[in-house]
């Protein structure tokens, strides 16, 4: 299922924050992304309605299985692409920004080819 780029960014952020913190709240996401709390609240409602996240009575946000799958896919693309761009000589800031844009539009087929190329280059 194809979801909007903004939703993918939110899911990826929840995944990353969940690795750094014992629990994730809307305010953590707002602070991380530089968005307003009301904007994040609307996004969390949409993600919850679509079955990508769960929010408990304390406001702690967790990814559902489908949300986790999307977040991991986007995060893998982001890290692989940004690392690859830096190995090609692109500065870290530019590589990270470009990877963030590319990760949402690249096809699974093209990304698999890039991953295979990266793997073959590191095995040399």
């Amino acid at each position: 299922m194809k979801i909007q780029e903004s939703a993918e960014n939110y899911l990826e952020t929840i995944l990353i924050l969940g690795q750094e913190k014992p629990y994730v709240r809307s305010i953590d996401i707002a602070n991380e992304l530089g968005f307003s709390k009301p904007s994040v609240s609307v996004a969390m409602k949409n993600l919850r309605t679509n079955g990508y996240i769960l929010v408990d009575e304390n406001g702690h946000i967790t990814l559902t299985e489908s949300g986790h799958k999307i977040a991991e896919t986007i995060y893998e693309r982001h890290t692989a692409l940004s690392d690859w761009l830096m190995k090609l000589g692109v500065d870290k800031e530019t590589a990270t920004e470009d990877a963030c844009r590319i990760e949402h539009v690249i096809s699974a087929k093209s990304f698999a080819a890039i991953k295979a190329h990266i793997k073959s280059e590191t095995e040399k």
Side-chain angles (χ1 to χ4, degrees):
M1 175 181 195
K2 179 69 178 141
I3 66 170
Q4 291 185 335
E5 180 178 328
S6 62
E8 291 176 341
N9 281 333
Y10 279 113
L11 295 172
E12 180 183 23
T13 300
I14 294 166
L15 176 73
I16 293 167
L17 289 173
Q19 294 170 347
E20 300 169 358
K21 300 174 173 277
Y23 52 85
V24 178
R25 301 167 300 153
S26 289
I27 191 67
D28 301 321
I29 298 165
N31 290 338
E32 181 69 21
L33 296 175
F35 296 161
S36 71
K37 177 85 164 73
S39 294
V40 173
S41 293
V42 169
M44 293 306 104
K45 181 181 181 206
N46 291 336
L47 290 173
R48 188 175 62 246
T49 299
N50 289 307
Y52 297 119
I53 64 167
L54 300 171
V55 182
D56 71 14
E57 64 278 356
N58 297 313
H60 299 165
I61 300 166
T62 55
L63 296 167
T64 62
E65 186 176 332
S66 62
H68 198 268
K69 183 177 179 182
I70 292 166
E72 281 187 327
T73 298
I74 296 301
Y75 185 64
E76 177 191 26
R77 288 177 177 188
H78 180 87
T79 55
L81 291 167
S82 59
D83 288 349
W84 183 52
L85 290 168
M86 286 186 286
K87 286 178 184 165
L88 293 174
V90 178
D91 65 275
K92 184 177 181 176
E93 184 178 340
T94 303
T96 301
E97 289 173 7
D98 287 348
C100 194
R101 287 189 288 274
I102 296 167
E103 69 194 26
H104 301 286
V105 296
I106 193 169
S107 70
K109 188 174 185 177
S110 291
F111 181 66
I114 290 171
K115 269 182 30 178
H117 174 75
I118 292 168
K119 184 178 181 190
S120 72
E121 287 297 309
T122 58
E123 291 174 349
K124 287 184 177 178

